[in-house]
Amino acid sequence: MLRYIYGSNLHDHPVLADTMFRDRGVQFRDRLGWDVSVDAQGHERDEYDGEDPLYVIWQRPDGRHGGSMRFLPTTGPTMVNDHFADLSDGAAIRSPLIWESTRFCLAPNANSRIAAALMLGGGEVMRGFGVTQFVGVFDARMVRIYRRVVSSPTVLGSSETGRDKISVGLWTYNPSDRVKVLWRAGLSSALSHHWYARAFGEKPEKMLARAA
């Protein structure tokens, strides 16, 4: 199932949090070779995990992590502004309508349906919070995954080439994409509504109507 959990509430989900940070260590340090910090428990964390981000997490039936993404408003500290501003010509990306999406992570044995479910969850956050775009930094290996789940970004800028290519991209909310992502994830609209309402108490369109 999809879970929507703020960082300040991760302690209520110890198994899910433990396996998420462990899987991040496996993916980003061991598999991708990124220069990230991994502690003695095998947890990969950075300073933005301390900013009370909103995590969208696929939770397996046994309570463990299947995949996750991390979201922060661009009105506060973000990776794209603090470390990758050169990829957007030095211009800071700050708007209450744009959130940053980072740390897209899949458990070692996750499949493309879990990737699509995470994209679905990101879209539900957009609908519910009135966010029009996500911005994020990604490497060349993510391009194939984004295409597969019908969620390719508009590239704002890149550095390096080939497998070392790093880009900043914008994902724009489009209601018509939701149907495609639901199909890719093998999920129903009603079930997605249910998971969102469990976290926030309202369906996405009701939150958006109230914020308008």
Side-chain angles (χ1 to χ4, degrees):
M1 74 175 75
L2 280 173
R3 304 296 300 266
Y4 302 85
I5 305 172
Y6 282 101
S8 55
N9 295 324
L10 279 177
H11 65 273
D12 294 327
H13 311 273
V15 173
L16 187 58
D18 172 63
T19 52
M20 177 180 71
F21 289 120
R22 286 180 184 274
D23 284 345
R24 278 175 40 171
V26 170
Q27 175 168 314
F28 300 127
R29 183 191 65 180
D30 302 342
R31 186 150 56 85
L32 297 181
W34 290 7
D35 182 17
V36 295
S37 297
V38 178
D39 66 18
Q41 295 176 290
H43 291 177
E44 188 279 315
R45 298 175 187 259
D46 65 14
E47 64 266 38
Y48 303 100
D49 292 301
E51 296 291 335
D52 199 22
L54 175 61
Y55 297 93
V56 175
I57 308 174
W58 181 263
Q59 181 177 314
R60 298 182 183 275
D62 63 1
R64 299 171 67 86
H65 170 262
S68 55
M69 301 168 72
R70 181 181 69 187
F71 298 97
L72 280 168
T74 58
T75 51
T78 58
M79 184 180 295
V80 68
N81 288 331
D82 296 344
H83 300 285
F84 294 95
D86 59 309
L87 299 185
S88 55
D89 294 327
I93 300 172
R94 300 189 191 280
S95 168
L97 301 180
I98 303 175
W99 283 16
E100 180 183 63
S101 173
T102 54
R103 289 306 194 255
F104 183 95
C105 175
L106 294 173
N109 57 348
N111 56 37
S112 60
R113 287 197 169 187
I114 292 177
L118 294 175
M119 294 299 181
L120 173 65
E124 302 294 48
V125 170
M126 282 183 153
R127 292 204 301 157
F129 286 84
V131 177
T132 59
Q133 293 177 309
F134 285 146
V135 62
V137 178
F138 60 95
D139 68 16
R141 285 162 284 200
M142 290 300 300
V143 173
R144 176 176 54 86
I145 294 175
Y146 294 147
R147 287 175 180 166
R148 184 181 299 173
V149 299
V150 199
S151 188
S152 295
T154 298
V155 177
L156 301 181
S158 303
S159 67
E160 307 298 336
T161 59
R163 290 177 61 86
D164 296 323
K165 188 175 183 179
I166 301 293
S167 303
V168 169
L170 273 179
W171 286 260
T172 301
Y173 179 67
N174 186 334
S176 65
D177 289 340
R178 185 173 182 270
V179 175
K180 300 174 186 176
V181 178
L182 280 166
W183 181 80
R184 289 284 185 182
L187 298 170
S188 70
S189 179
L191 185 56
S192 184
H193 280 323
H194 171 69
W195 288 334
Y196 191 95
R198 281 188 59 182
F200 300 111
E202 296 179 353
K203 291 183 178 180
E205 63 269 22
K206 289 186 178 179
M207 285 192 68
L208 183 56
R210 186 179 62 181

